[in-house]
Amino acid sequence: MISGTDAYDIAIDISDDDVERLLSVMPEDVESASALSYCRNVFLPLTTACRYTCTYCTYYDPPGQAELMDREEIRETCRRGAEAGCTEALFTFGDDPDERYTAVHDQLAEWGHDSIHEYLREACEIALEEGLLPHANPGDQTREQMAHVADLNASMGVMLETTTEVQAHGGPRSKNPGQRLNTLRVAGELGVPFTTGILVGIGEDWHHRAESLLAIREMHERYGHIQEVIVQPVVKNERWQGDSPDLATMRRVTAMARAALPEAVSVQVPPNLAPARDLTDCGIDDLGGVSPVTVDHINPEYEWPALQELTAVAEAAEVPLTERLPVYDRFVGDGWLSKPIEAAIGADTDAGERFRSILDRGVNPVAR
Ligand SMILES: O=c1nc2n(C[C@H](O)[C@H](O)[C@H](O)CO)c3cc(O)ccc3cc-2c(=O)[nH]1
Ligand SMILES: C[C@H]1O[C@@H](n2cnc3c(N)ncnc32)[C@H](O)[C@@H]1O
Ligand code: MET
Ligand code: SF4
């Protein structure tokens, strides 16, 4: 049984045969995609407070130093993003800033909020007002937390990371696979188009990689809500001095992701962390969120490639580069999205026109 799932009563049945079969998949066994997509976003690190202390993470600040973005900063960043043609407001921040962070709690209270999710709701409203579609990744979420903000998000996400317990998550307060899988299940039950993925190189072995991908497939088979799976290499930073997975590892695990998942689910590698150019023949069809406006606040030393570089990756693979929204096309107008999100996409505004022109373009190449 996958660790921690008993606490949530998630029966995930992965057979040894399936694991073995996936372990035999190599890059030459998968087909290359016929196009590569990407999404233009702004990154909004709502708070650097986090209840966990993952050893690979340079993002979180200790209590006393953690910050909270104020409404004006949120609005200003979204406005700059919309002006630069972005479609996504990516809210990615520390899990459940709890009582260890009294300053954060007090600041939220002063702004009239009991919890970070209440504040996230307001932040999503601001993003929508400024012409962006919210995609929030607040880490693990309970059903109540997710239900509180789901109708103001075009899609949401959390990285599964891995189904095994690793030292990198160790200590008394740690991410656990059961909690992450429960978040995927809650998203399925609430009908939220969802992004997830695995973090490669944090102490898991090949068996765990296969198991993680199969667990994601199983969740998708139940609910149909997984839109993309990110295959993310852990990268060096001031807190993580360990190795990053080598190219051969990334090629094999990316091909495994492609083979494990149904065709409708995209396989993404982040082009600022992974050697995307050398992975296009391993089944990837997406290059994730890229920002012309903000840095990657999780790995600020790793710059976003310019649009030109993405075009070059696609050209080398001899496929078109296409822009997409933070929610994949098949979920739009199909009963998955809330009224406010469908209204934003259908609106008679500059932003609405921008969203629809991206949908209308379909698989045509980006014209620039
Ligand atoms: O759901 C997630 N999306 C993440 N994304 C978002 C993802 O690239 C796009 O927002 C999705 O593809 C939207 O569909 C990131 C985007 C960045 O710019 C930087 C880091 C991440 C990391 C995650 C992530 O951990 N989980
Ligand atoms: C938002 C996501 O960022 C990822 N993340 C956090 N730290 C690193 C790192 N050093 N390298 C790669 N990915 C990282 C985790 O997978 C987290 O879920
Ligand atoms: C910098 S990580 C951001 C999202 C969340 N804290 C997670 O780990 O999933
Ligand atoms: S990766 Fe996410 S959960 Fe882990 S310490 Fe960083 S912010 Fe917190």
Side-chain angles (χ1 to χ4, degrees):
M1 187 191 284
I2 296 170
S3 161
T5 47
D6 49 342
Y8 296 98
D9 191 22
I10 312 172
I12 295 203
D13 212 7
I14 295 166
S15 78
D16 288 344
D17 281 359
D18 279 356
V19 170
E20 287 306 318
R21 217 170 301 133
L22 196 52
L23 284 173
S24 73
V25 170
M26 292 293 156
E28 53 275 20
D29 300 325
V30 298
E31 282 193 27
S32 298
S34 57
L36 283 170
S37 55
Y38 79 103
C39 176
R40 279 186 218 217
N41 69 17
V42 289
F43 198 126
L44 299 124
L46 222 47
T47 174
T48 54
C50 184
R51 72 205 278 221
Y52 300 137
T53 51
C54 306
T55 62
Y56 47 74
C57 177
T58 173
Y59 177 82
Y60 72 89
D61 285 321
Q65 291 171 36
E67 289 174 13
L68 206 51
M69 270 184 108
D70 69 30
R71 296 176 177 94
E72 270 322 298
E73 285 174 272
I74 295 170
R75 190 175 292 285
E76 189 47 37
T77 307
C78 289
R79 188 169 297 164
R80 281 197 295 136
E83 276 166 12
C86 299
T87 61
E88 173 183 37
L90 171 66
F91 295 104
T92 294
F93 50 96
D95 280 52
D96 276 341
D98 63 6
E99 74 284 354
R100 287 204 308 152
Y101 291 84
T102 43
V104 169
H105 181 88
D106 293 349
Q107 182 66 77
L108 284 172
E110 199 184 308
W111 292 342
H113 295 302
D114 267 354
S115 68
I116 194 72
H117 271 73
E118 262 192 33
Y119 189 46
L120 173 59
R121 199 175 162 80
E122 189 179 349
C124 291
E125 280 165 2
I126 295 172
L128 284 164
E129 281 165 19
E130 295 300 328
L132 297 180
L133 297 170
H135 167 101
N137 169 7
D140 302 329
Q141 297 181 80
T142 62
R143 172 185 268 275
E144 291 67 35
Q145 286 174 324
M146 199 184 292
H148 196 66
V149 296
D151 67 323
L152 295 183
N153 277 270
S155 63
M156 298 186 80
V158 75
M159 294 284 278
L160 170 60
E161 323 288 16
T162 176
T163 46
T164 188
E165 284 188 34
V166 288
Q167 282 240 311
H169 294 155
R173 324 151 66 71
S174 75
K175 273 185 186 171
N176 98 34
Q179 238 169 332
R180 310 293 270 185
L181 284 167
N182 190 56
T183 306
L184 293 189
R185 172 170 77 174
V186 164
E189 288 172 356
L190 294 175
V192 179
F194 214 67
T195 293
T196 188
I198 58 172
L199 189 53
V200 184
I202 53 172
E204 81 292 356
D205 65 20
W206 281 105
H207 184 97
H208 302 130
R209 290 171 190 152
E211 184 183 67
S212 303
L213 292 166
L214 291 169
I216 294 170
R217 175 173 83 186
E218 163 89 16
M219 283 290 167
H220 181 74
E221 277 170 358
R222 289 185 200 177
Y223 304 105
H225 65 313
I226 304 295
Q227 57 173 3
E228 58 183 352
V229 172
I230 306 176
V231 181
Q232 181 143 320
V234 70
V235 294
K236 277 196 177 55
N237 59 41
E238 62 200 21
R239 287 200 177 121
W240 179 262
Q241 300 300 326
D243 285 335
S244 205
D246 62 15
L247 180 59
T249 302
M250 284 304 291
R251 286 179 59 81
R252 181 173 166 203
V253 70
T254 304
M256 277 167 52
R258 183 63 286 164
L261 299 159
E263 213 182 306
V265 176
S266 283
V267 174
Q268 174 192 128
V269 294
N272 62 328
L273 308 182
R277 202 185 263 264
D278 297 319
L279 296 169
T280 51
D281 63 338
C282 303
I284 60 166
D285 63 350
D286 187 75
L287 299 170
V290 172
S291 186
V293 172
T294 50
V295 299
D296 179 343
H297 285 274
I298 300 174
N299 284 295
E301 293 151 56
Y302 296 79
E303 259 180 60
W304 294 123
L307 191 53
Q308 247 177 341
E309 288 172 57
L310 298 187
T311 310
V313 172
E315 268 170 13
E318 298 180 358
V319 296
L321 180 71
T322 62
E323 188 177 350
R324 64 165 174 84
L325 299 179
V327 57
Y328 280 67
D329 296 10
R330 73 175 183 283
F331 296 100
V332 180
D334 195 37
W336 281 85
L337 302 181
S338 67
K339 283 203 180 114
I341 298 296
E342 287 287 0
I345 295 172
D348 191 11
T349 57
D350 287 353
E353 267 175 40
R354 190 153 33 89
F355 301 147
R356 289 193 299 281
S357 79
I358 288 169
L359 287 168
D360 292 345
R361 247 180 269 152
V363 293
N364 296 325
V366 176
R368 69 165 78 182

